[in-house]
């Protein structure tokens, strides 16, 4: 019998390059939220894919950048923390962008990493072949990557090829999770993330970056195939609370409607969703409250 392989695959890169889109595409389920705005992901997101040959435990991470604020430093620490457990690292970059300071900073972070590092050049649907080849050379000059795989996580180009490569690189190992499990994240967390995704998509300026979502109630009513969710959206200022609620509650209603549709699909049940908005002045600069909202050091 061929041996079974398993291990952890850390997905790292600058904000907005498509790491979360890639994990969802690799796993075949939406485990990570995706928005057009940078710094969407704030935690380690696990996505598990099991095949006859092996079990791949993907870890999506916050975008790594030269962070100045306490909150952003926490996010970067979370991302770097995922590297220590990894058997394979996917360094994801965008084909649209020249390698920048943040990429060099990430390469610096990756320098001591001894496990295979694969360069994933994502968003190739946005560039021509003429543009891609010099970009590959440019990155190759910065590190001797185990492999370079151009992908489009959005369109699904070369995601199969990447999976094949990962299985080849993983060590022999046990099946850590049952076949049908695709994440180990708690349902409450997944629900909070789906709500946060809608807030980021529907709001502007600083609002996405000062919003935390916590689920206060998550109750399954099995006889009715219903899930009751009460969640609090926290912002830093009264004015931001006003924007989130909107005229006659219109914004909060839209967030609720869109989140509920996603939650119903995800939990395959009817969802009763109730949202509250709270002001917690300066929470993004306060280590105690960062921890309270789920952004502690791992
Ligand atoms: N055209 C194109 N867009 C993509 C591709 N992959 C991701 N995107 C888009 O890029 C944006 C960011 O995608 P995410 O997956 O949230 O990026 P991320 O790297 O996880 O971002 P952070 O969590 O903020 O670090 C979204 O609008 C995606 O739809 C791709 O292959 N092609
Ligand atoms: Mg992300």
């Amino acid at each position: 019998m061929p041996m079974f392989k398993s291990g952890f695959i850390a997905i790292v890169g600058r904000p907005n390059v498509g790491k979360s889109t890639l994990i969802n595409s690799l796993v075949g389920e939406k485990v990570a939220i995706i928005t057009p705005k940078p710094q969407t992901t704030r935690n380690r997101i696990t996505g598990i894919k099991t095949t006859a040959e092996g079990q791949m435990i993907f870890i999506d991470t916050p975008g790594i950048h030269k962070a100045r604020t306490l909150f952003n430093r926490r996010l970067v620490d979370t991302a770097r923390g995922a590297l220590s457990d990894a058997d394979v690292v996917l360094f994801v970059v965008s084909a649209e962008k020249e390698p920048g300071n943040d990429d060099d900073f990430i390469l610096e972070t990756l320098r001591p990493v001894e496990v295979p590092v694969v360069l994933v050049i994502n968003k190739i649907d946005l560039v021509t072949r003429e543009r891609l080849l010099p970009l590959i050379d440019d990155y190759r000059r910065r590190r001797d990557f185990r492999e370079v795989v151009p992908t489009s996580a959005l369109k699904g180009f070369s995601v199969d090829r990447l999976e094949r490569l990962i299985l080849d690189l993983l060590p022999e190992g046990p099946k850590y999770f049952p076949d049908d499990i695709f994440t180990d994240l708690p349902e409450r967390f997944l629900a909070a993330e789906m709500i946060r995704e809608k807030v980021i998509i529907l709001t502007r300026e600083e609002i996405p970056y000062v919003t935390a979502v916590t689920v206060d109630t998550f109750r399954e009513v099995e006889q009715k195939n219903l899930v009751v969710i009460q969640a609090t959206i926290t912002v830093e200022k009264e004015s931001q609370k006003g924007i989130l609620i909107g005229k006659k509650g219109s914004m909060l209603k839209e967030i609720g409607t869109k989140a509920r549709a996603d939650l119903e699909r995800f939990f395959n049940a009817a969802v009763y969703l109730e949202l509250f908005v709270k002001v917690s002045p300066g929470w993004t600069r306060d280590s105690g409250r960062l921890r309270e909202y789920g952004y502690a050091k791992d």
Side-chain angles (χ1 to χ4, degrees):
M1 220 178 91
M3 65 175 184
F4 194 80
K5 298 182 144 196
S6 64
F8 291 85
I9 304 102
I11 304 177
V12 299
R14 273 155 79 165
N16 209 238
V17 295
K19 299 178 295 298
S20 298
T21 309
L22 184 66
I23 193 175
N24 289 349
S25 184
L26 282 159
V27 173
E29 296 281 348
K30 180 165 172 169
V31 293
I33 62 168
I34 296 167
T35 85
K37 293 172 192 150
Q39 293 177 44
T40 293
T41 305
R42 294 178 181 169
N43 305 81
R44 283 170 78 121
I45 306 292
T46 324
I48 305 160
K49 169 100 181 253
T50 310
T51 70
E53 287 173 74
Q55 184 162 69
M56 292 157 272
I57 304 161
F58 297 102
I59 310 290
D60 180 22
T61 64
I64 298 178
H65 59 288
K66 284 218 162 122
R68 276 177 285 273
T69 66
L70 176 67
F71 187 21
N72 284 341
R73 283 205 306 275
R74 282 287 157 80
L75 302 187
V76 172
D77 286 346
T78 298
R80 295 165 80 157
L83 291 171
S84 55
D85 308 328
D87 298 291
V88 175
V89 174
L90 304 183
F91 173 36
V92 185
V93 302
S94 168
E96 283 188 299
K97 295 204 181 91
E98 294 298 324
N101 286 340
D102 283 338
D103 293 299
D104 286 329
F105 176 59
I106 298 167
L107 286 165
E108 198 58 46
T109 306
L110 291 177
R111 202 186 292 278
V113 169
E114 286 172 9
V115 298
V117 178
V118 175
L119 176 69
V120 177
I121 304 191
N122 191 40
K123 305 200 186 186
I124 54 162
D125 52 298
L126 298 178
V127 301
T128 59
R129 208 183 149 69
E130 290 70 56
R131 170 87 184 73
L132 191 58
L133 297 177
L135 193 65
I136 293 176
D137 285 343
D138 196 338
Y139 278 107
R140 276 212 191 269
R141 275 196 292 274
R142 289 161 203 255
R143 185 184 170 114
D144 185 18
F145 294 101
R146 177 60 71 95
E147 204 75 54
V148 178
V149 184
T151 61
S152 168
L154 187 69
K155 311 256 180 202
F157 301 159
S158 294
V159 175
D160 288 352
R161 194 185 140 206
L162 186 59
E163 178 185 315
R164 177 71 261 151
L165 173 68
I166 291 164
L167 276 170
D168 289 342
L169 294 174
L170 282 182
E172 188 175 356
K175 200 182 270 187
Y176 295 99
F177 296 93
D179 286 1
D180 56 345
I181 296 286
F182 56 83
T183 186
D184 67 350
L185 295 168
E187 288 174 329
R188 278 170 179 264
F189 174 80
L190 293 164
E193 286 288 274
M194 279 183 244
I195 297 163
R196 198 167 62 82
E197 179 184 76
K198 303 310 168 205
V199 174
I200 298 176
I201 290 172
L202 292 169
T203 63
R204 296 185 305 160
E205 288 159 19
E206 86 281 14
I207 311 263
Y209 307 102
V210 296
T211 301
V213 178
T214 41
V215 167
D216 314 305
T217 308
F218 188 99
R219 191 160 50 84
E220 287 173 74
V221 188
E222 271 181 28
Q223 317 84 291
K224 292 188 185 157
N225 192 30
L226 172 76
V227 182
V228 177
I229 300 172
Q230 287 177 312
T232 302
I233 305 173
T234 302
V235 287
E236 288 195 305
K237 295 178 187 159
E238 284 298 331
S239 60
Q240 295 158 348
K241 177 174 173 177
I243 293 169
L244 266 187
I245 292 172
K247 258 199 195 121
K248 292 188 185 146
S250 57
M251 175 60 95
L252 198 60
K253 193 167 168 204
E254 193 178 356
I255 293 167
T257 306
K258 296 223 157 96
R260 190 162 67 90
D262 267 21
L263 291 162
E264 293 195 325
R265 212 174 308 128
F266 190 82
F267 292 111
N268 203 7
V271 169
Y272 173 80
L273 177 63
E274 206 176 350
L275 295 176
F276 304 91
V277 184
K278 187 177 97 181
V279 178
S280 177
W283 74 264
T284 61
R285 295 186 301 277
D286 181 281
S287 77
R289 277 174 293 162
L290 281 169
R291 178 180 300 277
E292 186 184 330
Y293 299 137
Y295 308 119
K297 266 191 194 142
D298 280 314

